[in-house]
Amino acid sequence: MLTSLNLFAQTDKNAYDVYSTIIQEEFKLRNDTVDNLVFINRATSGKQISETIQMAVESVEAIQSGQLIILSFADNINEVLRQSPEIGQLIHELKADNKDNELKKEFYLDCEYNLITRKKFEGLLKNNGLSKLKDKDSRFFGAFEFSNVAFEGDYAAVYCGLYIGRLNAVGTIVILKKEGTKWRIISRPEFWVS
């Protein structure tokens, strides 16, 4: 039985553990330090998120039916689906739970972070706002947006959009597995890049 989390009345810290794991992993991937400033879109749904999750659902269905899919990290998601077919259903559940909820300041991060409104988030993405912010504050790492998190046993799926600069952004569906008390990313196919 799949369960997803309604973050509007969030009490389970698992979702925030997932979000925090993804952000910390981005720091590691980019060899960044923890002395960072990040902005996080408070809203958990929106057009970009909905469209990306829909692409993920369609891609999973195609992969499961044996079609060739061209995605970044496609081999990885193919292997994950082969070993754990329930991941496909988990991504369907992610789509079903794509409701507009508001995140709270319950992330577990060794950096400064601010939750911002969707309007402010979208404003940052226009008129080179991210680069201007980076010029003002060299600690600025980037802006994140997330969907709600879908859970199935020790697995989780979530949409993550990361915007670092005007032409440096990526949208992924991140699949994680819980090992002991920590989450580990096992697949993160990219569905859009700019």
Side-chain angles (χ1 to χ4, degrees):
M1 165 79 81
L2 284 164
T3 58
S4 50
L5 216 49
N6 183 336
L7 296 172
F8 190 75
Q10 173 70 18
T11 55
D12 187 337
K13 74 182 196 73
N14 270 330
Y16 290 96
D17 284 341
V18 165
Y19 298 138
S20 302
T21 297
I22 293 167
I23 293 172
Q24 299 285 21
E25 185 66 20
E26 288 298 336
F27 292 162
K28 287 180 197 168
L29 287 173
R30 289 171 169 68
N31 296 319
D32 229 298
T33 68
V34 294
D35 184 26
N36 287 315
L37 168 65
V38 297
F39 285 171
I40 302 168
N41 185 358
R42 187 182 296 274
T44 61
S45 74
K47 185 177 179 188
Q48 181 79 37
I49 293 174
S50 298
E51 289 176 353
T52 306
I53 293 174
Q54 180 59 38
M55 279 192 286
V57 169
E58 291 168 1
S59 296
V60 164
E61 289 172 348
I63 289 168
Q64 289 176 328
S65 69
Q67 295 179 42
L68 177 64
I69 300 296
I70 306 302
L71 290 172
S72 293
F73 303 104
D75 290 344
N76 191 315
I77 192 69
N78 267 312
E79 184 64 17
V80 166
L81 287 169
R82 189 181 66 73
Q83 291 183 4
S84 306
E86 65 269 27
I87 296 297
Q89 186 56 42
L90 184 60
I91 292 175
H92 276 274
E93 178 69 10
L94 184 61
K95 179 184 176 185
D97 197 41
N98 185 37
K99 299 174 182 67
D100 194 3
N101 292 311
E102 284 196 351
L103 296 172
K104 298 177 183 178
K105 198 154 188 181
E106 296 181 11
F107 291 74
Y108 309 101
L109 298 171
D110 296 323
C111 68
E112 182 181 342
Y113 71 93
N114 293 311
L115 295 179
I116 59 175
T117 64
R118 177 179 286 138
K119 185 175 180 180
K120 184 170 181 180
F121 183 85
E122 290 171 352
L124 273 178
L125 305 184
K126 295 178 183 172
N127 302 319
N128 211 19
L130 292 169
S131 296
K132 291 175 185 172
L133 190 56
K134 182 82 170 173
D135 291 341
K136 284 184 188 175
D137 190 338
S138 62
R139 297 173 308 138
F140 181 66
F141 177 80
F144 288 86
E145 65 179 349
F146 294 102
S147 68
N148 293 327
V149 183
F151 292 98
E152 163 63 21
D154 291 334
Y155 293 98
V158 60
Y159 164 86
C160 173
L162 169 59
Y163 303 81
I164 292 179
R166 187 171 174 209
L167 294 174
N168 191 355
V170 61
T172 63
I173 300 295
V174 185
I175 310 297
L176 305 96
K177 184 173 185 182
K178 194 162 194 178
E179 297 177 344
T181 60
K182 300 205 178 272
W183 289 96
R184 180 176 65 87
I185 296 171
I186 59 173
S187 183
R188 52 189 313 146
E190 296 176 355
F191 285 88
W192 61 264
V193 178
S194 69

